[in-house]
Amino acid sequence: MTLCTCSKAGSTTVAADPIRTRPDNFELRSIDLEPVVAETPLPALRPWLTPTPLFYIRNHFEVPELEVDDWSLTIEGAVDTPVKLDYSSLVRLPKKTLPAMLECAGNNRSDLSPKVPGNPFQDGAVSNAIWGGAPLKPFLQQAGLSPNAVEVLFEGGDEGAPVPGGKTVKYQRSLPLQVALHPDTLLVYEMNGETLTPDHGYPVRLIVPRWYGMASVKWLTSIRVLEAPFVGFFQTDRYVIEDDAGIEQQLAQMQVKSFVSWPEHETSLPVGQPIAASGMAWSGTGPIRRVDVSIDGGETWQDAHMDESSLGYSWQEWHIDWTPEE
Ligand code: MTE
């Protein structure tokens, strides 16, 4: 018998109402209030879709107050003709919706040994939503890219001093040109079927599927095509790691990862009663084909059932049938 506890099982209300946005008595786990940083509680990671109020939040600065009536976005820089875009024109265009998970590059930081500075995220700086918006590519094409264009720079409406007493900077991140031109790199105004909320980038944010969350710039105010790689705090000072040869590399696509969401640590389970231990897995480069699970500390491994094939850019749920013997 297969005991499927995944969110697609008919027993959960999530399956009946996939764009459900009401939380089920859970709250975000607050890590910081100014600016807001909060992670998704473990039970809220079990459904395939994360309700918007429980989607993790990673803000570097205070949320900027942007209104749709005043909001516009200009695509400029190394282009033939700058393109100006306002909110009402954007939402009138054919809408593309796609499921995509975001994972903060600092997810599971609190598990690292030795400890490193930064928000002490446990497992919850990761969430999955359905995003609605318009692909960026046609706007870049309309502007006419310089043959020397190499990157596209995105700027958020938020700013502050990331280092206490240091220089004030805006949140800016660039993407390689081919990633900006990917048909699923979106200018997003909807999350889980509702207008984007202020914490998640209202009125318009970027969604870059498969990349760590820092690339999905919120509260977009400007887009600039560049002929040289961008140098900036959130690009070249942060979100950079040393590779095995000691060379600094900018973070980009998510690394392959899997995760147990049930049972939680230190859950007591009855001996002799079958359960489905479950979790999810993802990668920044393609679908997950196989997850191996060990229940004896790595002595033996078994193939997990993959509960579904990859859907959009979401994580994939898996489970194993297991009867605890002691
Ligand atoms: N965009 C702006 N403008 N400012 C930010 O602080 N944080 C980034 C990214 N986009 C950030 C931003 C980081 S580090 C992450 S992990 C994701 O947004 C988090 O998106 P979320 O808060 O909607 O989960």
Side-chain angles (χ1 to χ4, degrees), residues 8 47 119 200 217 246 281 300 324:
K8 294 284 168 56
N119 289 303
H200 295 294
V217 176
T300 58

Side-chain angles (χ1 to χ4, degrees), residues 2-316:
T2 296
L3 295 171
C4 179
T5 56
C6 77
S7 60
K8 294 284 168 56
S11 57
T12 69
T13 48
V14 173
D17 180 8
I19 314 275
R20 191 176 62 131
T21 54
R22 302 281 91 78
D24 263 341
N25 303 324
F26 305 122
E27 283 181 0
L28 280 169
R29 198 178 81 86
S30 175
I31 290 180
D32 205 345
L33 290 175
E34 288 176 7
V36 173
V37 179
E39 67 178 332
T40 305
L42 191 54
L45 288 176
R46 279 176 212 137
W48 174 75
L49 193 73
T50 316
T52 302
L54 295 177
F55 198 102
Y56 83 91
I57 300 171
R58 179 31 171 142
N59 296 343
H60 283 273
F61 308 121
E62 231 177 89
V63 174
E65 286 181 24
L66 302 176
E67 285 308 327
V68 290
D69 292 342
D70 310 328
W71 182 88
S72 69
L73 191 61
T74 309
I75 299 177
E76 55 199 345
V79 295
D80 297 336
T81 324
V83 169
K84 194 170 176 190
L85 189 65
D86 62 31
Y87 189 82
S88 55
S89 327
L90 182 67
V91 298
R92 273 203 304 271
L93 292 169
K95 182 167 63 182
K96 184 161 195 173
T97 48
L98 53 84
M101 55 170 295
L102 288 186
E103 184 188 20
C104 184
N107 193 25
N108 290 103
R109 183 181 281 120
S110 64
D111 296 337
L112 294 178
S113 177
K115 295 279 169 227
V116 293
N119 289 303
F121 286 124
Q122 298 174 5
D123 305 303
V126 63
S127 300
N128 186 42
I130 296 176
W131 306 96
L136 170 65
K137 182 176 178 174
F139 301 113
L140 292 173
Q141 286 173 326
Q142 188 187 336
L145 295 171
S146 149
N148 301 324
V150 290
E151 287 190 357
V152 181
L153 178 65
F154 301 88
E155 188 172 286
D158 51 333
E159 61 175 28
V163 180
K167 210 170 82 180
T168 294
V169 296
K170 290 190 173 269
Y171 190 88
Q172 295 175 309
R173 292 269 324 169
S174 72
L175 285 177
L177 193 59
Q178 74 276 16
V179 180
L181 286 170
H182 189 285
D184 291 337
T185 297
L186 297 186
L187 298 176
V188 155
Y189 49 84
E190 251 183 40
M191 179 177 185
N192 291 334
E194 292 172 344
T195 303
L196 213 52
T197 60
D199 270 322
H200 295 294
Y202 173 86
V204 178
R205 77 176 296 170
L206 191 68
I207 286 290
V208 187
R210 298 203 193 285
W211 279 54
Y212 281 114
M214 78 276 149
S216 291
V217 176
K218 304 193 271 191
W219 314 295
L220 270 181
T221 52
S222 133
I223 297 181
R224 176 168 284 273
V225 178
L226 305 179
E227 292 184 337
F230 172 65
V231 176
F233 185 81
F234 294 105
Q235 189 87 24
T236 45
D237 282 31
R238 294 294 188 268
Y239 302 112
V240 170
I241 50 166
E242 271 187 16
D243 66 15
D244 293 342
I247 299 168
E248 286 201 337
Q249 302 287 352
Q250 292 179 19
L251 291 177
Q253 284 117 320
M254 294 180 287
Q255 297 287 307
V256 66
K257 190 160 174 177
S258 62
F259 166 71
V260 180
S261 57
W262 172 257
E264 284 178 42
H265 287 300
E266 306 196 343
T267 304
S268 294
L269 297 167
V271 168
Q273 197 166 304
I275 66 140
S278 56
M280 58 268 206
W282 61 87
S283 96
T285 44
I288 298 291
R289 288 215 201 100
R290 206 178 89 198
V291 173
D292 290 347
V293 182
S294 174
I295 51 165
D296 54 13
E299 299 256 313
T300 58
W301 293 86
Q302 59 175 298
D303 256 12
H305 301 270
M306 299 308 293
D307 287 329
E308 64 207 20
S309 55
S310 164
L311 197 56
Y313 299 101
S314 310
W315 55 53
Q316 286 164 258

